[in-house]
mmCIF file of all heavy atoms in Angstrom:
data_model
loop_
_atom_site.group_PDB
_atom_site.id
_atom_site.type_symbol
_atom_site.label_atom_id
_atom_site.label_comp_id
_atom_site.label_asym_id
_atom_site.label_seq_id
_atom_site.Cartn_x
_atom_site.Cartn_y
_atom_site.Cartn_z
ATOM 1 N N ASP A 35 1.186 -4.450 -6.722
ATOM 2 C CA ASP A 35 1.054 -4.562 -8.172
ATOM 3 C C ASP A 35 -0.408 -4.399 -8.545
ATOM 4 O O ASP A 35 -1.298 -4.423 -7.692
ATOM 5 C CB ASP A 35 1.584 -5.924 -8.636
ATOM 6 C CG ASP A 35 0.940 -7.069 -7.872
ATOM 7 O OD1 ASP A 35 -0.236 -7.396 -8.153
ATOM 8 O OD2 ASP A 35 1.591 -7.630 -6.967
ATOM 9 N N ALA A 43 -9.322 -3.465 -4.072
ATOM 10 C CA ALA A 43 -10.394 -2.515 -4.376
ATOM 11 C C ALA A 43 -11.733 -3.234 -4.479
ATOM 12 O O ALA A 43 -12.754 -2.748 -3.974
ATOM 13 C CB ALA A 43 -10.082 -1.768 -5.674
ATOM 14 N N ASP A 77 -11.480 1.933 -10.488
ATOM 15 C CA ASP A 77 -12.351 3.100 -10.571
ATOM 16 C C ASP A 77 -11.597 4.378 -10.217
ATOM 17 O O ASP A 77 -11.907 5.452 -10.742
ATOM 18 C CB ASP A 77 -13.552 2.941 -9.627
ATOM 19 C CG ASP A 77 -14.507 1.852 -10.078
ATOM 20 O OD1 ASP A 77 -14.543 1.572 -11.298
ATOM 21 O OD2 ASP A 77 -15.196 1.281 -9.223
ATOM 22 N N MET A 110 7.679 10.992 -0.200
ATOM 23 C CA MET A 110 8.645 11.723 0.608
ATOM 24 C C MET A 110 8.828 11.022 1.948
ATOM 25 O O MET A 110 9.140 11.665 2.950
ATOM 26 C CB MET A 110 8.195 13.172 0.787
ATOM 27 C CG MET A 110 8.114 13.915 -0.538
ATOM 28 S SD MET A 110 7.826 15.687 -0.372
ATOM 29 C CE MET A 110 7.896 16.153 -2.135
ATOM 30 N N ASP A 129 15.381 18.393 3.396
ATOM 31 C CA ASP A 129 15.490 19.515 2.454
ATOM 32 C C ASP A 129 14.079 19.953 2.074
ATOM 33 O O ASP A 129 13.574 19.631 1.000
ATOM 34 C CB ASP A 129 16.288 19.087 1.215
ATOM 35 C CG ASP A 129 16.657 20.259 0.316
ATOM 36 O OD1 ASP A 129 16.062 21.354 0.479
ATOM 37 O OD2 ASP A 129 17.528 20.081 -0.556
ATOM 38 N N ARG A 135 9.564 22.531 -3.853
ATOM 39 C CA ARG A 135 9.658 22.743 -5.302
ATOM 40 C C ARG A 135 9.125 21.536 -6.071
ATOM 41 O O ARG A 135 8.501 21.695 -7.132
ATOM 42 C CB ARG A 135 11.110 23.026 -5.709
ATOM 43 C CG ARG A 135 11.655 24.349 -5.184
ATOM 44 C CD ARG A 135 12.902 24.792 -5.934
ATOM 45 N NE ARG A 135 14.008 23.849 -5.820
ATOM 46 C CZ ARG A 135 14.885 23.841 -4.813
ATOM 47 N NH1 ARG A 135 14.757 24.717 -3.813
ATOM 48 N NH2 ARG A 135 15.877 22.970 -4.784
ATOM 49 N N ALA A 158 14.070 11.882 15.618
ATOM 50 C CA ALA A 158 13.266 12.478 16.686
ATOM 51 C C ALA A 158 13.581 13.947 16.915
ATOM 52 O O ALA A 158 12.767 14.678 17.498
ATOM 53 C CB ALA A 158 13.476 11.692 17.983
ATOM 54 N N GLY A 227 -6.662 9.080 17.616
ATOM 55 C CA GLY A 227 -5.357 9.534 18.080
ATOM 56 C C GLY A 227 -4.720 10.533 17.139
ATOM 57 O O GLY A 227 -4.112 11.515 17.566
ATOM 58 N N GLN A 248 -12.241 -4.972 5.232
ATOM 59 C CA GLN A 248 -12.745 -5.311 6.555
ATOM 60 C C GLN A 248 -12.701 -4.102 7.482
ATOM 61 O O GLN A 248 -13.626 -3.860 8.262
ATOM 62 C CB GLN A 248 -11.931 -6.458 7.160
ATOM 63 C CG GLN A 248 -12.207 -7.812 6.538
ATOM 64 C CD GLN A 248 -11.535 -8.922 7.327
ATOM 65 O OE1 GLN A 248 -10.405 -8.777 7.784
ATOM 66 N NE2 GLN A 248 -12.228 -10.033 7.483
ATOM 67 N N ARG A 258 -17.294 -6.430 13.987
ATOM 68 C CA ARG A 258 -16.049 -7.039 13.556
ATOM 69 C C ARG A 258 -16.336 -8.154 12.557
ATOM 70 O O ARG A 258 -16.998 -9.135 12.901
ATOM 71 C CB ARG A 258 -15.292 -7.611 14.757
ATOM 72 C CG ARG A 258 -13.883 -8.087 14.420
ATOM 73 C CD ARG A 258 -13.230 -8.746 15.618
ATOM 74 N NE ARG A 258 -11.821 -8.982 15.380
ATOM 75 C CZ ARG A 258 -11.325 -9.966 14.658
ATOM 76 N NH1 ARG A 258 -12.167 -10.815 14.075
ATOM 77 N NH2 ARG A 258 -10.022 -10.110 14.503
ATOM 78 N N LEU A 319 7.478 -21.706 -1.954
ATOM 79 C CA LEU A 319 8.309 -20.522 -2.144
ATOM 80 C C LEU A 319 9.579 -20.791 -2.950
ATOM 81 O O LEU A 319 10.180 -19.855 -3.479
ATOM 82 C CB LEU A 319 8.686 -19.913 -0.790
ATOM 83 C CG LEU A 319 7.720 -18.838 -0.265
ATOM 84 C CD1 LEU A 319 6.321 -19.388 -0.082
ATOM 85 C CD2 LEU A 319 8.231 -18.233 1.028
ATOM 86 N N THR A 326 4.259 -26.539 -9.882
ATOM 87 C CA THR A 326 4.808 -27.097 -8.641
ATOM 88 C C THR A 326 4.480 -26.198 -7.464
ATOM 89 O O THR A 326 4.119 -26.672 -6.378
ATOM 90 C CB THR A 326 6.334 -27.246 -8.774
ATOM 91 O OG1 THR A 326 6.635 -28.024 -9.934
ATOM 92 C CG2 THR A 326 6.930 -27.925 -7.551
ATOM 93 N N ALA A 344 -9.794 -32.196 12.289
ATOM 94 C CA ALA A 344 -9.361 -33.286 13.179
ATOM 95 C C ALA A 344 -9.889 -33.108 14.586
ATOM 96 O O ALA A 344 -10.131 -32.003 15.052
ATOM 97 C CB ALA A 344 -7.842 -33.350 13.197
#
Side-chain angles (χ1 to χ4, degrees):
D35 53 76
D77 291 334
M110 298 189 177
D129 190 345
R135 293 197 299 274
Q248 287 189 320
R258 188 185 190 282
L319 269 60
T326 305

